């Protein structure tokens, strides 16, 4: 699904992703992310339209970041190299700003069918932010703003917080009743006055709306990446359950300092603008909700660990069940065969043998002959006794009348 300019398609000759991003194996997530952004901007096709080599380098950088930005993929690569990743499969990520109309239509169709597709942020938006040439609108804490942003464009907002609000915690949320696709972005201010991307959250459908949020509440909050292990889940439907919580990734920033902070809503629809509502809230007025979130995050983490252990137990039990089921089918066939053999042996205890159809006909003919002879004997018996037909009939009538009289007496 990648165009010639976008997406982390697998390079033919793969280099060590740490080498590609010029980081070490001990580098933090933030250091890896910073290195990626610099290289992605340097080699982005928008800035190197006539340089095919830059396009290949951009793909390599994106591919390497796809591995090192995912804790599970990074762990697998550190343990067993590319072979472990090849076994699991890699998720796709595309730059919509570089897709043609046909490819965009295909991407939109797959997304509508529920196939998770990662999208990158347009290099133009990131470059304008770095140069500090974007328009920033104020978003006071405790208020909301409605808007509509074009695809692959961004609306920037500034949120100013004081010491008390910073200590209580800040929440920034975006929702869309139109179920638009968007990204919520957080930028840190650079020394040159520009803004560098620090965090991003993709919108997720929750109920009848799409939403995304960032929670700076002084405790670790996790985001759920639904595209993690998407291909592996497609191969093994049961993994959809066990891998569901593997997409939990810790947010790199858990608190904001007093001052002004820059957020943006990025239009991620395939064709039309994204409608949205953005709001900034102070957690002080949501103390109970904040505690509930802290508790539920801890419960989900525990559940993820429990599922990892349960999956192993489940797989073993399932394998045992399949083994027992196979044995059951074999035993059933064996019992049926034994009973069939016994019935055959029972049938052998007889002097009657199965004859040919000709023999059966002869036997039947002989039977008829015997029956006819008996009948003939009966018809000839009166002559042998020397009695006439009339006398025989008279005797039978008298015998019948006597019986009838006897019956009448009994009835009387």
């Amino acid at each position: 699904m990648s165009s010639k300019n976008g997406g982390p398609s697998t390079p033919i000759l793969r280099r060590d992703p740490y080498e590609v991003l010029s980081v070490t194996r001990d580098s933090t997530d933030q250091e890896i992310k910073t290195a990626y952004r610099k290289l992605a901007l340097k080699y982005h096709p928008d800035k190197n339209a006539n340089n095919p080599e830059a396009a290949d380098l951009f793909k390599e950088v994106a591919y390497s970041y796809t591995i090192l930005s995912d804790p599970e993929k990074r762990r697998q690569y550190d343990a067993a190299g590319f072979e472990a990743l090849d076994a699991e499969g890699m998720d796709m990520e595309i730059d919509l700003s570089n897709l043609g109309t046909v490819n965009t239509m295909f991407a939109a169709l797959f997304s509508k069918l529920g196939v998770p597709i990662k999208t990158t942020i347009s290099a133009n938006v990131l470059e304008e932010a770095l140069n500090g040439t974007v328009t920033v609108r104020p978003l006071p804490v405790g208020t909301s703003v409605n808007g509509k942003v074009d695809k692959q464009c961004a609306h920037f907002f500034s949120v100013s917080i004081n010491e008390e609000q910073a200590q209580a915690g800040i929440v920034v949320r975006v929702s869309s009743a139109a179920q638009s696709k968007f990204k919520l972005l957080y930028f840190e201010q650079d020394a040159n006055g520009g803004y560098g991307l620090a965090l991003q959250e993709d919108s997720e459908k929750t109920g009848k709306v799409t939403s995304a949020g960032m929670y700076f509440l002084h405790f670790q909050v996790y985001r759920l990446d639904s595209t993690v292990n998407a291909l592996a889940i497609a191969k093994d439907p049961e993994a959809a359950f066990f891998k569901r919580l593997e997409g939990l990734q810790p947010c790199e920033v858990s608190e904001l300092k007093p001052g002004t902070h820059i957020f943006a809503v990025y239009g991620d629809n395939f064709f039309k603008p994204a409608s949205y509502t953005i709001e900034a809230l102070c957690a002080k007025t949501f103390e109970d909700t904040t505690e509930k979130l802290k508790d539920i995050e801890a419960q989900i983490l525990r559940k993820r660990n429990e599922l990892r252990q349960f999956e192993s137990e489940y797989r073993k039990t399932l394998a045992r069940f399949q083994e027992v089921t196979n044995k059951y089918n074999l035993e059933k066939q064996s019992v049926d065969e034994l009973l069939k053999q016994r019935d055959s042996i029972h049938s052998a205890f007889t002097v009657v043998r199965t004859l040919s159809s000709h023999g059966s006909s002869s036997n039947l003919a002989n039977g008829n002959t015997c029956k006819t002879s008996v009948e003939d004997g009966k018809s000839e018996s009166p002559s042998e006794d020397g009695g006439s037909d009339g006398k025989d009939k008279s005797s039978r009538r008298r015998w019948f009348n006597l019986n009838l009289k006897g019956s009448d007496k009994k009835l009387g």
Side-chain angles (χ1 to χ4, degrees):
M1 190 65 65
S2 299
S3 70
K4 65 180 181 178
N5 294 326
S9 57
T10 306
I12 297 176
L13 297 176
R14 294 181 287 187
R15 289 194 296 155
D16 180 1
Y18 292 101
E19 177 186 344
V20 173
L21 298 181
S22 299
V23 295
T24 67
R25 289 181 177 267
D26 297 328
S27 296
T28 64
D29 292 339
Q30 189 60 45
E31 289 171 340
I32 291 173
K33 183 173 292 186
T34 300
Y36 163 69
R37 290 183 190 128
K38 290 180 180 179
L39 292 172
L41 283 175
K42 180 179 179 180
Y43 297 120
H44 200 285
D46 288 352
K47 300 177 65 176
N48 301 273
N50 299 320
N51 186 355
E53 184 179 351
D56 291 336
L57 289 172
F58 177 77
K59 291 179 181 179
E60 186 178 43
V61 167
Y63 177 77
S64 298
Y65 182 68
T66 301
I67 296 172
L68 300 186
S69 63
D70 186 318
E72 181 63 17
K73 288 190 178 76
R74 184 178 180 182
R75 182 190 66 78
Q76 290 175 348
Y77 176 80
D78 289 344
F82 288 115
E83 290 184 0
L85 300 175
D86 293 338
E88 286 294 325
M90 294 290 287
D91 301 317
M92 66 181 90
E93 183 173 338
I94 56 177
D95 183 355
L96 295 180
S97 64
N98 285 290
L99 286 183
T101 302
V102 175
N103 285 339
T104 302
M105 291 177 64
F106 275 111
L109 175 61
F110 277 103
S111 179
K112 193 176 181 87
L113 292 174
V115 178
I117 299 177
K118 285 185 177 181
T119 55
T120 60
I121 301 170
S122 169
N124 293 333
V125 171
L126 297 177
E127 190 170 8
E128 288 176 2
L130 282 175
N131 294 333
T133 58
V134 295
T135 300
V136 181
R137 290 178 284 181
L139 176 63
V141 175
T143 66
S144 63
V145 173
N146 298 322
K148 184 177 289 188
V149 59
D150 289 333
K151 61 177 183 176
Q152 289 83 60
C153 295
H155 288 173
F156 287 78
F157 299 90
S158 62
V159 178
S160 298
I161 59 176
N162 56 35
E163 183 72 34
E164 182 182 4
Q165 291 170 331
Q167 287 295 326
I170 296 294
V171 174
V172 177
R173 280 181 51 82
V174 181
S175 60
S176 172
Q179 298 186 8
S180 297
K181 286 171 61 65
F182 58 84
K183 297 180 189 293
L184 173 59
L185 312 178
Y186 170 64
F187 292 83
E188 293 177 339
Q189 192 159 5
D190 291 342
N192 60 2
Y195 309 108
L197 181 63
L199 296 174
Q200 77 174 55
E201 293 289 341
D202 292 297
S203 60
E204 295 283 349
K205 187 176 180 182
T206 53
K208 296 183 179 180
V209 302
T210 50
S211 62
M214 292 185 180
Y215 307 87
F216 308 95
L217 301 172
H218 302 280
F219 59 84
Q220 187 63 70
V221 176
Y222 295 81
R223 63 174 177 272
L224 186 60
D225 186 354
S226 61
T227 63
V228 170
N229 292 324
L231 296 180
I233 290 173
K235 294 177 183 177
D236 183 0
E238 289 182 348
F241 170 67
F242 289 109
K243 300 298 184 185
R244 188 174 181 183
L245 299 183
E246 293 301 325
L248 284 175
Q249 299 180 8
C251 296
E252 293 86 346
V253 182
S254 60
E255 60 182 78
L256 297 179
K257 295 179 180 180
T260 299
H261 300 271
I262 304 300
F263 295 86
V265 180
Y266 179 81
D268 211 22
N269 276 338
F270 290 99
F271 297 107
K272 59 184 180 180
S275 303
Y276 67 88
T277 299
I278 183 172
E279 52 188 335
L281 306 169
C282 178
K284 187 173 182 180
T285 54
F286 297 89
E287 291 182 353
D288 290 343
T289 306
T290 300
E291 286 301 316
K292 289 179 180 178
L293 177 60
K294 185 176 182 179
D295 180 62
I296 203 69
E297 290 281 13
Q299 289 186 48
I300 291 175
L301 278 182
R302 289 195 298 269
K303 182 58 67 177
R304 182 176 67 177
N305 293 332
E306 291 173 4
L307 281 180
R308 287 172 178 171
Q309 296 177 357
F310 176 58
E311 181 179 13
S312 176
E313 178 185 347
Y314 173 80
R315 298 291 185 190
K316 291 179 181 178
T317 304
L318 182 61
R320 176 60 179 158
F321 171 76
Q322 292 174 341
E323 179 185 345
V324 171
T325 302
N326 291 337
K327 185 176 180 181
Y328 168 83
N329 292 329
L330 291 174
E331 293 294 345
K332 184 175 181 299
Q333 293 175 6
S334 176
V335 169
D336 290 343
E337 182 61 28
L338 289 173
L339 293 176
K340 183 178 179 181
Q341 292 180 20
R342 189 185 68 162
D343 290 341
S344 178
I345 294 171
H346 284 174
S347 301
F349 286 98
T350 178
V351 295
V352 178
R353 293 290 181 267
T354 302
L355 302 176
S356 63
S357 57
H358 176 73
S360 299
S361 300
S362 300
N363 189 41
L364 181 60
N366 292 335
N368 290 338
T369 302
C370 293
K371 183 177 181 182
T372 304
S373 299
V374 173
E375 289 176 350
D376 291 345
K378 286 182 179 180
S379 62
E380 293 174 357
S381 59
S383 300
E384 293 175 356
D385 292 341
S388 66
D389 291 340
K391 184 178 179 181
D392 182 58
K393 290 180 180 178
S394 176
S395 300
R396 276 183 290 179
R397 278 200 300 271
R398 287 197 300 271
W399 179 61
F400 174 76
N401 290 336
L402 286 175
N403 287 338
L404 181 60
K405 290 178 181 178
S407 299
D408 290 340
K409 288 181 181 180
K410 289 181 180 179
L411 289 173

